[in-house]
Amino acid sequence: MNMGITRKMSFGFNGKLNGVEGKTPFLIGVSGGTASGKSTVCKRIMEKLGQVDMDHMERQVVCISQDSFYRELTPAEKLKAEKGQFNFDHPDAFDNDLILQTLQDILAGIKCEIPAYDYRTNSLVKDQITTIYPADVVLFEGILVFYFPKIRDLFHMKLFVDTDSDTRLARRVPRDIKERGRDLDYVLNQYMNFVKPAFEEFCLPTKKFADVIIPRGADNTVAIELIVQHIRDFLSNRGRVTVESESPVNRGEGLS
Ligand code: UZR
Ligand code: MG
């Protein structure tokens, strides 16, 4: 596998690949424009399910970010990125094969390891990987998680966080300056040249694939409560209902 990420499989007593109780997790995709509140919606869902203060290995619900799967840039692309001329909002900026493989492993109940990404250096953090243990519910959030059909089809439920673009820009600017070490000119240029056009070309058209559209993002406590209730129903029913039979995990290999 690329980037030196290794995966360890766990096997059940019958020698078969084993997930949580041998079942595939309920996989939820969460998309929406930059700074729409995707991460916060996921955080609220986890909080309401009482998952936040739990040990990672005990968690029934885990959240993974598509941002962890930005691919390593070539030296030429790195130079572009330093000048704010690399398009991080394009589907090709991600290691999509690794995303597909990771989600397939997750659906198969296999423990997997995901890379860490540093926005300040625009590169992967060497030797820093996070282990994702089999869980009942997995949230996968990011701007383009519904772009490739092969990845999109893996989700059991698709949410789109629909926050108006002025609000998103107003959040994005201070976040990039404070958390991602940028200056105002850089942030606004990048927004106008790449972030906004790519949102319109690649992200917004995927809204139509969503099962649930969440207006106003994390402020929408009613929508979040409805989704949480759906997850609780799933968790309490999982003894009786198996989603394994309807799992899309075996629908095919590769993105093309
Ligand atoms: P969210 N991004 C960076 O700013 N730098 C990087 O090295 C990698 C990604 C940004 C990316 C996108 N765009 O808009 C955003 N740019 O991260 C996605 N420019 O993250 O969904 O949390 O906003
Ligand atoms: Mg985010």
Side-chain angles (χ1 to χ4, degrees), residues 30-45 63 65-67 139-145 159-163 168 171 175 203 217-218:
V30 183
S31 196
T34 184
S36 55
K38 300 179 293 293
S39 316
T40 316
V41 165
C42 292
K43 198 168 150 228
R44 295 279 175 280
I45 292 173
C63 181
S65 176
Q66 186 185 24
D67 293 4
L139 294 144
F140 186 62
E141 64 88 11
I143 48 175
L144 295 170
V145 299
L159 312 177
F160 191 95
V161 183
D162 197 12
T163 303
R168 293 192 294 102
R171 284 187 195 150
R175 183 181 76 179
C203 177

Side-chain angles (χ1 to χ4, degrees), residues 8 16 46 70 72 87 143 163 167 199 205 207 222 252:
K8 295 181 191 85
K16 283 190 181 162
M46 296 194 51
Y70 272 110
E72 197 63 83
N87 192 352
I143 48 175
T163 303
T167 308
F199 170 73
K207 183 163 115 177
V222 174

